[in-house]
Amino acid sequence: MSNKLAGIDVLLKTGAVSGSTTVLGGQTGATLNRSTNMIEVTSKDGEGWQENLAGIKSWSIDCDGFLVNNDSALEELEDAWLEGTEIAVDISYAGKQYTGNVLISDFPNEFPVDDAVTFSLSLTGTGKLIKNPS
């Protein structure tokens, strides 16, 4: 038996900041991005090697999927984008659950003549990304 994880088992949930989250219907892919700003502190006593300190952290989620009629999570995302309000997100896998609040930074829909209607979504974390056991 393999210890590898299947992406199909990872669901992105969204919802109101003060309420519960709902699975984003039609989602086909998601990426949890985590970054640290590096602060260079190289000095002459570093023996010719660059030295850094960890600075401010940031995170975001990119995802895509098929548009699904009457999907409540997608409707909440539409409203949050129009109003410029924060939404809560939850992404869980391998016994880990990451939660936090985000703003929608990009939300295009694609309408090809020869394929299904799709969406892409870029969510920028605002505040701490919290890691909980799921």
Side-chain angles (χ1 to χ4, degrees), residues 14-113:
T14 64
V17 170
S18 60
S20 62
T21 55
T22 306
V23 172
L24 179 58
Q27 176 206 339
T28 58
T31 302
L32 174 60
N33 305 297
R34 297 172 284 181
S35 300
T36 303
N37 181 39
M38 291 292 136
I39 301 169
E40 185 185 343
V41 294
T42 304
S43 62
K44 292 181 179 180
D45 62 354
E47 299 177 5
W49 292 95
Q50 181 173 327
E51 298 171 307
N52 295 285
L53 295 174
I56 295 173
K57 292 179 176 41
S58 63
W59 63 280
S60 65
I61 296 175
D62 296 311
C63 81
D64 52 19
F66 297 106
L67 283 179
V68 177
N69 282 329
N70 303 316
D71 180 67
S72 62
L74 212 53
E75 289 300 320
E76 284 184 353
L77 288 169
E78 289 276 351
D79 292 343
W81 179 80
L82 285 168
E83 297 165 13
T85 56
E86 291 181 21
I87 57 169
V89 294
D90 172 323
I91 191 164
S92 303
Y93 63 93
K96 299 174 190 171
Q97 177 191 41
Y98 294 92
T99 60
N101 294 337
V102 297
L103 291 168
I104 300 170
S105 52
D106 202 28
F107 197 12
N109 292 333
E110 295 185 29
F111 310 104
V113 70

